[in-house]
Amino acid sequence: MEATMKKKFTKDSVIGDVVKESASARQVIEKHFGNGCFTCPGINMESLSFGAMMHNMDPEKILKELNELEG
């Protein structure tokens, strides 16, 4: 695997890890899930697919936006 290859997020990625790995991800998470996500203890164990289900969102749309971020 090439060292410069950008890590892609998946439906199983934990929301808290996504935010830690990409500074820009916070805006995408807030856009789709609201800012309450950042004070919820579940952020450290809930996946993107779970968050999408809880907010009645399409996880593929959220993943597409996250994976298009620069950093």
Side-chain angles (χ1 to χ4, degrees):
M1 185 174 190
E2 201 173 291
T4 58
M5 183 179 266
K6 184 176 184 271
K7 180 178 189 257
K8 293 292 183 181
F9 299 113
T10 69
K11 287 190 232 183
D12 295 325
S13 297
V14 174
I15 297 168
D17 293 342
V18 171
V19 173
K20 287 176 193 168
E21 290 178 34
S22 171
S24 306
R26 184 179 178 98
Q27 293 173 320
V28 176
I29 298 298
E30 187 171 6
K31 173 183 168 184
H32 293 287
F33 299 157
N35 66 359
C37 222
F38 305 111
T39 58
C40 175
I43 193 172
N44 294 311
M45 63 187 131
E46 294 174 356
S47 67
L48 288 168
S49 63
F50 183 82
M53 179 187 68
M54 294 303 292
H55 292 274
N56 199 29
M57 303 291 297
D58 178 6
E60 294 300 327
K61 179 179 178 181
I62 298 164
L63 283 170
K64 182 178 186 302
E65 286 186 44
L66 287 170
N67 286 321
E68 289 175 348
L69 294 174
E70 291 299 315

